[in-house]
Amino acid sequence: FNNAAQAWNHVAYWDQFVPGGPNRPTGDLATRVNETFGDYEAFIKRAVDVSDTVFGTGWVWLTRDDAGKLALIGYEDGNNPIAVGRPAYLGIDIWEHAYYLDYENRKPEHIRAVLDKLVNWRVVEERMSA
Ligand SMILES: [Fe+2]
């Protein structure tokens, strides 16, 4: 499971960084993000907070909760929302290998950089409509 899940997780991770898309949610998705988290800055802060709930290595995923609302949930090791029947819209790798060379132990800076500069929200939108 761990090897298969990590292969899947990283394909999803790199795919969401394809250049050229908006680096912020737009339209209805922006409305959903803002209604759920407050605004984009609050969304980033929530992702950082959720990452702190993961003991050791893992991922933070934007997914959907049981009520159908957007949710940021932390998963340990290679776990992901797919394995528990939830959609995986956007993943943030919080294994040290994802950020240590650039940020040493400053994991929040890595999360902020991913969400502020790298994510193509068109990809996230496509995952939501799949
Ligand atoms: Fe990784």
Side-chain angles (χ1 to χ4, degrees):
F1 171 83
N2 285 331
N3 288 320
Q6 282 292 70
W8 193 95
N9 289 344
H10 285 86
V11 169
Y13 191 60
W14 300 123
D15 279 352
Q16 71 200 9
F17 299 150
V18 63
N23 68 353
R24 292 289 184 280
T26 58
D28 290 346
L29 180 51
T31 303
R32 285 181 72 192
V33 168
N34 292 340
E35 281 173 358
T36 305
F37 300 101
D39 59 20
Y40 199 73
E41 177 61 25
F43 171 74
I44 293 174
K45 285 186 176 141
R46 178 75 186 139
V48 170
D49 288 347
V50 169
S51 79
D52 286 337
T53 69
V54 178
F55 182 76
T57 59
W59 293 76
V60 174
W61 289 94
L62 178 65
T63 181
R64 200 171 52 212
D65 67 16
D66 292 336
K69 284 188 68 179
L70 292 177
L72 284 162
I73 299 178
Y75 296 84
E76 292 186 357
D77 301 326
N79 288 290
N80 64 38
I82 300 289
V84 291
R86 295 183 193 278
Y89 297 140
L90 162 63
I92 307 166
D93 190 339
I94 56 167
W95 285 60
E96 283 184 352
H97 67 231
Y99 60 86
Y100 202 83
L101 288 178
D102 290 325
Y103 299 106
E104 297 179 329
N105 63 345
R106 300 184 308 279
K107 182 175 62 182
E109 290 182 34
H110 156 68
I111 294 168
R112 176 168 295 280
V114 166
L115 295 177
D116 193 37
K117 298 176 184 156
L118 296 180
V119 172
N120 181 331
W121 280 87
R122 190 73 61 227
V123 174
V124 179
E125 218 169 90
E126 285 166 6
R127 289 174 181 171
M128 289 177 166
S129 60

mmCIF file of all heavy atoms in Angstrom, residues 6 10 13 59 93 95 97-98, ligand 1:
data_model
loop_
_atom_site.group_PDB
_atom_site.id
_atom_site.type_symbol
_atom_site.label_atom_id
_atom_site.label_comp_id
_atom_site.label_asym_id
_atom_site.label_seq_id
_atom_site.Cartn_x
_atom_site.Cartn_y
_atom_site.Cartn_z
ATOM 1 N N GLN A 6 2.222 6.147 -2.394
ATOM 2 C CA GLN A 6 3.181 7.243 -2.596
ATOM 3 C C GLN A 6 3.418 7.508 -4.077
ATOM 4 O O GLN A 6 3.615 8.665 -4.474
ATOM 5 C CB GLN A 6 4.501 6.953 -1.874
ATOM 6 C CG GLN A 6 4.420 7.213 -0.385
ATOM 7 C CD GLN A 6 4.264 8.683 -0.056
ATOM 8 O OE1 GLN A 6 3.229 9.289 -0.294
ATOM 9 N NE2 GLN A 6 5.327 9.290 0.486
ATOM 10 N N HIS A 10 2.462 11.213 -5.546
ATOM 11 C CA HIS A 10 3.419 12.093 -6.214
ATOM 12 C C HIS A 10 3.013 12.421 -7.642
ATOM 13 O O HIS A 10 3.285 13.526 -8.117
ATOM 14 C CB HIS A 10 4.833 11.504 -6.134
ATOM 15 C CG HIS A 10 5.435 11.649 -4.772
ATOM 16 N ND1 HIS A 10 5.211 10.735 -3.767
ATOM 17 C CD2 HIS A 10 6.211 12.618 -4.234
ATOM 18 C CE1 HIS A 10 5.836 11.142 -2.658
ATOM 19 N NE2 HIS A 10 6.455 12.281 -2.921
ATOM 20 N N TYR A 13 0.642 15.081 -7.121
ATOM 21 C CA TYR A 13 1.371 16.264 -6.645
ATOM 22 C C TYR A 13 1.976 17.038 -7.816
ATOM 23 O O TYR A 13 1.747 18.228 -7.971
ATOM 24 C CB TYR A 13 2.465 15.784 -5.691
ATOM 25 C CG TYR A 13 3.173 16.842 -4.890
ATOM 26 C CD1 TYR A 13 2.486 17.664 -4.009
ATOM 27 C CD2 TYR A 13 4.557 16.973 -4.961
ATOM 28 C CE1 TYR A 13 3.145 18.601 -3.237
ATOM 29 C CE2 TYR A 13 5.232 17.907 -4.189
ATOM 30 C CZ TYR A 13 4.525 18.715 -3.325
ATOM 31 O OH TYR A 13 5.190 19.638 -2.565
ATOM 32 N N TRP A 59 0.930 13.925 4.490
ATOM 33 C CA TRP A 59 0.349 14.788 3.470
ATOM 34 C C TRP A 59 -0.796 15.587 4.064
ATOM 35 O O TRP A 59 -1.466 15.124 4.984
ATOM 36 C CB TRP A 59 -0.223 13.947 2.323
ATOM 37 C CG TRP A 59 0.824 13.228 1.531
ATOM 38 C CD1 TRP A 59 1.504 12.099 1.899
ATOM 39 C CD2 TRP A 59 1.329 13.606 0.251
ATOM 40 N NE1 TRP A 59 2.402 11.759 0.914
ATOM 41 C CE2 TRP A 59 2.306 12.669 -0.114
ATOM 42 C CE3 TRP A 59 1.040 14.655 -0.631
ATOM 43 C CZ2 TRP A 59 3.008 12.747 -1.309
ATOM 44 C CZ3 TRP A 59 1.728 14.726 -1.818
ATOM 45 C CH2 TRP A 59 2.704 13.781 -2.159
ATOM 46 N N ASP A 93 2.712 17.701 -0.018
ATOM 47 C CA ASP A 93 3.673 16.742 0.534
ATOM 48 C C ASP A 93 4.342 17.382 1.744
ATOM 49 O O ASP A 93 4.970 18.438 1.625
ATOM 50 C CB ASP A 93 4.698 16.424 -0.559
ATOM 51 C CG ASP A 93 5.620 15.262 -0.215
ATOM 52 O OD1 ASP A 93 5.760 14.947 0.972
ATOM 53 O OD2 ASP A 93 6.222 14.711 -1.159
ATOM 54 N N TRP A 95 6.354 15.426 3.795
ATOM 55 C CA TRP A 95 7.544 14.671 4.151
ATOM 56 C C TRP A 95 8.730 15.643 4.107
ATOM 57 O O TRP A 95 8.763 16.571 3.288
ATOM 58 C CB TRP A 95 7.789 13.554 3.132
ATOM 59 C CG TRP A 95 6.881 12.367 3.250
ATOM 60 C CD1 TRP A 95 5.523 12.356 3.138
ATOM 61 C CD2 TRP A 95 7.287 11.016 3.465
ATOM 62 N NE1 TRP A 95 5.056 11.072 3.280
ATOM 63 C CE2 TRP A 95 6.115 10.231 3.481
ATOM 64 C CE3 TRP A 95 8.526 10.407 3.647
ATOM 65 C CZ2 TRP A 95 6.151 8.852 3.677
ATOM 66 C CZ3 TRP A 95 8.542 9.028 3.832
ATOM 67 C CH2 TRP A 95 7.371 8.269 3.859
ATOM 68 N N HIS A 97 11.544 15.350 2.815
ATOM 69 C CA HIS A 97 12.233 15.413 1.523
ATOM 70 C C HIS A 97 11.627 16.465 0.602
ATOM 71 O O HIS A 97 12.266 16.913 -0.330
ATOM 72 C CB HIS A 97 12.274 14.031 0.841
ATOM 73 C CG HIS A 97 10.943 13.501 0.403
ATOM 74 N ND1 HIS A 97 10.503 12.242 0.738
ATOM 75 C CD2 HIS A 97 9.947 14.050 -0.331
ATOM 76 C CE1 HIS A 97 9.297 12.043 0.212
ATOM 77 N NE2 HIS A 97 8.945 13.125 -0.438
ATOM 78 N N ALA A 98 10.377 16.843 0.870
ATOM 79 C CA ALA A 98 9.706 17.823 0.011
ATOM 80 C C ALA A 98 10.207 19.243 0.258
ATOM 81 O O ALA A 98 10.069 20.102 -0.609
ATOM 82 C CB ALA A 98 8.194 17.759 0.226
HETATM 83 FE FE FE B 1 7.388 13.407 -1.547
#
